[in-house]
Amino acid sequence: MASVELKGLGKRYGEAVAVDNVSLLIGHGQLVCLLGPSGCGKTTTLRLIAGFIEPSTGEIAVGGKVLSSPQRTVPPEGRAMSMIFQSYALWPHMTVAENVAYGLRIRKMDKATIDAKLTAILSTTKLEPLAQRYPGELSGGQQQRVSLARALVVEPETLLLDEPLSNLDANLREEMRFEIRRLHDRYRYTTVYVTHDQAEAMTTADQIAVMNLGRIEQLGTPKEIYDRPRSVFVARFIGGSNILEGKAVDAGHISVAGGTLATTGRTLTKGEAVAVSIRQHEIEIATKSDSANALHAVVSRQVFLGAARDYTVVLDDKTELRVTASPTQDIAPGQEVWLRLPAERCRALTGGNER
Ligand code: ADP
Ligand code: MG
């Protein structure tokens, strides 16, 4: 069993804290994404797991065995892990087949075993027709597949990927997301996948750990993270959310922009400042004030996008909200509207703007 467990993991560089008290259990065969903006500590966490660097605090256990602690860290070559870097680092003077087989040859396997494993992985990664080419004769996506094949062929217990698609163009990136998930379903290696791209994380992950300032801000399935962000940071980072800032009038209501809203998500303390998130497509625009949980606004802009209409509206306290409406709902800028905000979608968050 190759579960990977991080316990109170921390890494300091002088005064700077790169990773701050991270605890996370990655179950055997699971794919967990570390998702967050640049500088939040994703690569450092991955390098700690790989054994390239030693933790300042805490430990890392694989299959229940401690491999990293401030006292003792097993080096990368003593771990059954493969890491894929942002630059694919292929050998330019070796063919695709030679690149992929390299890890098997240095493990001194016999030729028949190497050939069998090579044939199988080239087939799964759809590289057979390219086996005799050199990296310089391949596109970015093909090099990416070679790099994946090379990491997988040695049958690591754990696969570590650091922004593996960031050098590819948009179309290919989308295709490769599905490819990585497909290979994961096939081989079920315990995988840690680092990315700053929300869609990449949503497509590939069993669980997403959203990171901010060296910490895990929220851990959950893609659906949980999307539907139930807990903090202002997560709501903003996982796109398409509006944030309303109001004041609690009781345990489940806030006053905001001259109105009152019922909220969900957590119990409020009367008088506290509360940020509430609601997604663009969860708000309904009405031209009459005839429902509860509604706020008065004025349309400032609208764009017809074919499948939808994208509105910008301004509340009485000057807060701007974005609303995705039906393409048939055509309301001119300057017109008064009422926004219906379903109570079960008005999610009270923790934290202010700074986190
Ligand atoms: P990410 O991969 O999420 O972009 P990193 O893990 O690379 O973030 O970096 C996290 C923080 O730690 C950053 O502020 C970075 O500048 C700092 N950091 C990373 N490596 C070092 C290092 N070797 N020395 C000093 N600071 C570092
Ligand atoms: Mg990084």
Side-chain angles (χ1 to χ4, degrees):
M1 288 289 279
S3 62
V4 175
E5 186 164 20
L6 317 182
K7 296 181 207 166
L9 195 65
K11 182 67 184 175
R12 277 190 311 273
Y13 291 104
E15 290 295 290
V17 181
V19 174
D20 186 8
N21 194 25
V22 164
S23 294
L24 175 65
L25 174 66
I26 303 143
H28 176 74
Q30 268 214 320
L31 193 158
V32 173
C33 269
L34 305 181
L35 173 67
S38 175
C40 72
K42 305 180 297 295
T43 295
T44 306
T45 305
L46 209 63
R47 288 167 57 81
L48 284 164
I49 298 173
F52 289 115
I53 48 177
E54 295 160 10
S56 313
T57 56
E59 58 183 44
I60 300 170
V62 177
K65 235 176 82 193
V66 175
L67 296 188
S68 291
S69 71
Q71 292 74 39
R72 181 169 172 275
T73 288
V74 175
E77 59 274 18
R79 305 180 177 214
M81 296 183 176
S82 282
M83 181 152 168
I84 298 182
F85 301 91
Q86 204 166 320
S87 61
Y88 315 128
L90 302 175
W91 301 107
H93 60 287
M94 290 185 192
T95 63
V96 167
E98 286 163 352
N99 262 286
V100 175
Y102 182 77
L104 301 174
R105 270 193 279 123
I106 58 169
R107 283 171 176 76
K108 307 247 185 305
M109 293 185 180
D110 62 79
K111 187 167 180 319
T113 311
I114 292 179
D115 284 347
K117 285 181 187 289
L118 182 63
T119 305
I121 197 73
L122 290 179
S123 157
T124 328
T125 50
K126 304 197 175 95
L127 285 168
E128 291 146 314
L130 306 175
Q132 297 316 314
R133 292 222 200 147
Y134 289 89
E137 302 166 330
L138 302 176
S139 72
Q142 291 165 340
Q143 291 184 45
Q144 174 64 53
R145 290 217 299 278
V146 178
S147 144
L148 263 173
R150 190 178 56 174
L152 291 174
V153 78
V154 296
E155 294 172 24
E157 287 183 351
T158 310
L159 186 60
L160 307 174
L161 303 138
D162 191 0
E163 312 241 9
L165 307 185
S166 55
N167 287 338
L168 306 182
D169 60 40
N171 284 343
L172 202 52
R173 216 180 307 146
E174 198 176 340
E175 193 181 310
M176 287 303 295
R177 280 179 212 150
F178 292 113
E179 184 79 2
I180 286 179
R181 184 64 221 189
R182 186 179 67 81
L183 288 170
H184 184 260
D185 288 338
R186 168 110 157 67
Y187 289 100
R188 290 269 153 208
Y189 297 124
T190 306
T191 304
V192 186
Y193 188 122
V194 161
T195 181
H196 66 274
D197 183 314
Q198 180 206 148
E200 220 169 284
M202 306 270 286
T203 312
T204 54
D206 296 310
Q207 296 263 316
I208 296 176
V210 183
M211 289 187 73
N212 180 25
L213 304 172
R215 293 169 171 268
I216 293 181
E217 183 110 357
Q218 189 169 350
L219 173 71
T221 64
K223 189 158 176 1
E224 279 164 1
I225 296 283
Y226 184 85
D227 285 344
R228 296 198 290 282
R230 278 205 298 267
S231 66
V232 171
F233 176 82
V234 175
R236 281 198 199 284
F237 193 74
I238 307 294
S241 267
N242 291 293
I243 308 278
L244 292 164
E245 302 198 4
K247 198 169 197 178
V249 292
D250 62 27
H253 294 82
I254 63 164
S255 70
V256 58
T260 303
L261 290 181
T263 63
T264 184
R266 67 183 178 90
T267 306
L268 311 177
T269 307
K270 186 176 173 179
E272 72 167 317
V274 179
V276 165
S277 74
I278 183 158
R279 296 201 179 273
Q280 295 171 11
H281 61 269
E282 292 166 343
I283 300 175
E284 202 188 317
I285 302 187
T287 45
K288 293 198 299 275
S289 112
D290 58 358
S291 79
N293 254 37
L295 292 177
H296 178 257
V298 173
V299 171
S300 68
R301 195 177 64 100
Q302 62 126 307
V303 184
F304 175 71
L305 295 173
R309 229 175 255 269
D310 178 17
Y311 281 91
T312 305
V313 298
V314 181
L315 301 180
D316 292 354
D317 70 353
K318 304 288 175 235
T319 305
E320 276 198 354
L321 300 184
R322 296 281 290 276
V323 180
T324 306
S326 154
T328 59
Q329 191 174 25
D330 186 3
I331 306 169
Q335 204 170 314
E336 258 195 339
V337 290
W338 280 265
L339 307 175
R340 296 174 183 158
L341 301 102
E344 70 281 7
R345 301 292 177 197
C346 294
R347 185 153 290 277
L349 306 168
T350 59
N353 283 327
E354 71 285 358
R355 279 192 63 93

